């Protein structure tokens, strides 16, 4: 099972370009929070860095390969993701709003994945009743983040899980 790791600052307003490593230390991709202009960055700061939320994932040649962003429409919050390699769109929406920690649903063309969100432990990505990946952030001076993708996962691209995890789990709504 491939295992990936990266670190993130504790301060949400810091947006460094971050490298994702495979367990053997090999660089896999990089990512960064993205603002299309300075006004959005300014307004986001005023709204505690939770409104204009978008992460771009880059390959090792610095080309965008995956994007995930927060969308607010008519009081409803959800996320949209796009895989530039497969041209596939995904919608990530909250499920069970009445619970303290709501699960999320990833909806794709032929894919429905449930994200069983945990605050203090592993968050599981579940497809057809089986865990296919898991993600967690531990605090040790900064966030130490781990991602494991099971062999039976229909998606093996770590960019998919990193982008969605950064938006929906690391920052949230």
């Amino acid at each position: 099972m491939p295992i990936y790791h990266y670190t993130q600052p504790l301060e949400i307003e810091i947006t460094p370009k971050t490298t994702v490593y495979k367990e053997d230390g090999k660089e896999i991709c990089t990512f960064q929070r993205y603002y299309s202009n300075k006004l959005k960055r300014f307004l986001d700061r005023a709204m505690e860095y939770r409104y204009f939320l978008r992460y771009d994932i880059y390959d090792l040649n610095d080309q965008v390969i995956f994007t995930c962003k927060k969308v607010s429409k008519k009081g409803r919050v959800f996320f949209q993701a796009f895989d530039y390699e497969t041209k596939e769109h995904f919608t990530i929406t909250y499920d069970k709003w009445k619970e303290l920690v709501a699960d999320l649903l990833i909806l794709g063309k032929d894919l429905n994945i449930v994200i069983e969100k945990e605050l203090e432990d592993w968050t599981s990505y579940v497809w057809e009743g089986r865990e296919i990946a898991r993600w967690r952030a531990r605090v040790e001076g900064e966030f130490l983040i781990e991602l494991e993708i099971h062999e039976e996962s229909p998606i093996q691209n770590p960019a998919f899980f990193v982008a969605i995890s950064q938006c929906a789990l690391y920052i949230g709504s």
Side-chain angles (χ1 to χ4, degrees), residues 20-76:
V20 177
Y21 299 93
K22 202 166 183 178
E23 63 187 327
D24 62 6
K26 181 181 176 189
E27 292 183 10
I28 300 301
C29 61
T30 60
F31 68 88
Q32 188 169 29
R33 190 164 179 170
Y34 173 82
Y35 294 97
S36 59
N37 60 57
K38 290 180 182 181
L39 178 60
K40 283 186 179 180
R41 182 183 289 269
F42 174 78
L43 291 173
D44 204 34
R45 181 182 322 134
M47 293 184 260
E48 299 179 353
Y49 295 95
R50 297 182 188 277
Y51 191 78
F52 293 104
L53 177 56
R54 174 178 160 178
Y55 273 93
D56 287 343
I57 312 297
Y58 304 90
D59 64 14
L60 298 178
N61 296 319
D62 221 24
Q63 299 297 310
V64 176
I65 57 173
F66 201 92
T67 296
C68 186
K69 68 179 182 174
K70 179 179 175 179
V71 178
S72 298
K73 286 187 179 176
K74 298 179 183 175
R76 186 172 161 249

Side-chain angles (χ1 to χ4, degrees), residues 38-168:
K38 290 180 182 181
L39 178 60
K40 283 186 179 180
R41 182 183 289 269
F42 174 78
L43 291 173
D44 204 34
R45 181 182 322 134
M47 293 184 260
E48 299 179 353
Y49 295 95
R50 297 182 188 277
Y51 191 78
F52 293 104
L53 177 56
R54 174 178 160 178
Y55 273 93
D56 287 343
I57 312 297
Y58 304 90
D59 64 14
L60 298 178
N61 296 319
D62 221 24
Q63 299 297 310
V64 176
I65 57 173
F66 201 92
T67 296
C68 186
K69 68 179 182 174
K70 179 179 175 179
V71 178
S72 298
K73 286 187 179 176
K74 298 179 183 175
R76 186 172 161 249
V77 176
F78 60 98
F79 301 88
Q80 290 180 330
F82 182 71
D83 186 329
Y84 287 87
E85 295 173 341
T86 65
K87 306 291 187 232
E88 189 165 359
H89 290 270
F90 302 93
T91 299
I92 301 93
T93 184
Y94 287 96
D95 187 30
K96 303 176 190 169
W97 270 105
K98 297 194 188 299
E99 294 183 8
L100 182 61
V101 180
D103 289 340
L104 294 124
L105 301 172
I106 301 172
L107 307 168
K109 181 180 163 192
D110 298 317
L111 186 72
N112 290 337
I113 297 174
V114 175
I115 303 175
E116 296 177 349
K117 191 173 179 181
E118 292 292 332
L119 296 177
E120 300 291 326
D121 202 6
W122 288 99
T123 291
S124 296
Y125 287 77
V126 178
W127 175 66
E128 295 183 350
R130 297 184 318 255
E131 181 181 83
I132 58 168
R134 60 188 196 156
W135 180 95
R136 78 171 168 186
R138 294 180 293 128
V139 178
E140 291 183 20
E142 58 188 346
F143 285 110
L144 303 176
I145 299 174
E146 299 171 86
L147 167 66
E148 297 178 358
I149 303 172
H150 299 276
E151 285 85 15
E152 58 273 355
S153 174
I155 296 176
Q156 290 294 315
N157 183 358
F160 172 90
F161 295 103
V162 169
I164 292 171
S165 297
Q166 282 300 117
C167 280

